[in-house]
Amino acid sequence: MPKVYIEDQVFEKKDYSKENLPKGEYENCRFVNCSFANSDLSEDLFLECEFEQCDLSLAKLNYTALRDVVFKSCKMVGVGFQDCNQLLLSVQFEDCQLKLASFYKLKLKATQFVNCNLQEVDFTEADLRGSTMDNCDLSRAVFEYTNIEKSDLRSSFNYLINPEVNKIKKAKFSLHGVAGLLTQFDIEIE
């Protein structure tokens, strides 16, 4: 099946959960209020695209290229970003529902997560150096052998990050959130 090349188009209120988006390259496109739930976006390339108010829950991203892609107000429950093409991977998230998503072993330096639900997200072995998690709920998110050096988590909450198994040098935390760095020591903080 030949792949399409689509540039500078807006896709609104499309339902790709029943019939997949045509395989191809999408450059400088906007997807607004579209459903990609359970769809297969494998091997597609998205360059400088924006997804707004879309549902991408459980979408397959095998070798999908996401380069300078912005997700705004999207539902992305259970998405396995670790399956993406990692070459030039660049994403940012604003007001997104990312519960149960996985960023396992991804290089996501300077990634922006703003007002996102990151509950139970897997950041195991991810490189998040210089990233910002602004007002994000990190309840039960997994940080194991994760690099969050120089990252800013000052306004985020509900995180448990073990400094003994994660790289946290020069990361920024609020005084209120420091308890999330000490839980594994079984101490009482008043």
Side-chain angles (χ1 to χ4, degrees):
M1 179 180 228
K3 290 189 174 190
V4 299
Y5 175 78
I6 298 175
E7 183 177 23
D8 300 324
Q9 282 196 22
V10 177
F11 299 82
E12 288 189 77
K13 298 181 181 177
K14 303 284 186 185
D15 187 354
Y16 298 108
S17 62
K18 294 174 180 60
E19 187 175 319
N20 288 326
L21 181 73
K23 291 286 175 209
E25 296 182 21
Y26 296 85
E27 185 172 352
N28 198 35
C29 291
R30 286 186 65 224
F31 298 88
V32 182
N33 218 352
C34 296
S35 178
F36 297 91
N38 295 299
S39 66
D40 188 354
L41 299 173
S42 297
E43 299 184 20
D44 287 334
L45 183 143
F46 297 96
L47 177 62
E48 298 177 359
C49 290
E50 184 175 304
F51 291 82
E52 187 174 340
Q53 296 180 335
C54 293
D55 184 355
L56 292 105
S57 297
L58 298 174
K60 292 182 184 89
L61 299 178
N62 298 322
Y63 305 105
T64 304
L66 300 173
R67 299 182 181 143
D68 295 318
V69 175
V70 177
F71 297 96
K72 292 182 179 178
S73 302
C74 290
K75 183 178 179 184
M76 308 174 82
V77 176
V79 174
F81 289 95
Q82 78 278 353
D83 297 327
C84 288
N85 180 335
Q86 295 188 32
L87 182 66
L88 303 174
L89 176 65
S90 175
V91 290
Q92 69 180 51
F93 304 93
E94 184 180 322
D95 298 313
C96 290
Q97 166 67 261
L98 286 153
K99 190 172 183 177
L100 297 166
S102 177
F103 295 95
Y104 177 70
K105 284 191 171 183
L106 286 182
K107 288 184 171 81
L108 294 168
K109 293 179 187 174
T111 298
Q112 302 286 315
F113 296 89
V114 179
N115 298 321
C116 292
N117 180 339
L118 298 172
Q119 294 177 351
E120 301 179 72
V121 169
D122 187 0
F123 290 114
T124 302
E125 297 184 43
D127 185 349
L128 296 164
R129 280 181 281 178
S131 292
T132 300
M133 293 183 182
D134 184 13
N135 194 38
C136 294
D137 184 353
L138 290 156
S139 177
R140 296 179 306 282
V142 179
F143 291 89
E144 288 187 21
Y145 307 102
T146 307
N147 188 338
I148 55 170
E149 292 177 340
K150 299 181 181 176
S151 292
D152 189 345
L153 285 84
R154 288 179 291 182
S155 61
S156 287
F157 49 94
N158 294 331
Y159 53 82
L160 297 175
I161 300 171
N162 184 343
E164 294 181 326
V165 297
N166 295 287
K167 295 180 179 181
I168 65 168
K169 188 174 183 179
K170 299 210 183 247
K172 296 176 183 175
F173 302 95
S174 69
L175 188 55
H176 173 74
V178 169
L181 301 172
L182 303 172
T183 303
Q184 68 280 355
F185 297 115
D186 196 25
I187 59 176
E188 292 183 29
I189 302 170
E190 294 182 14

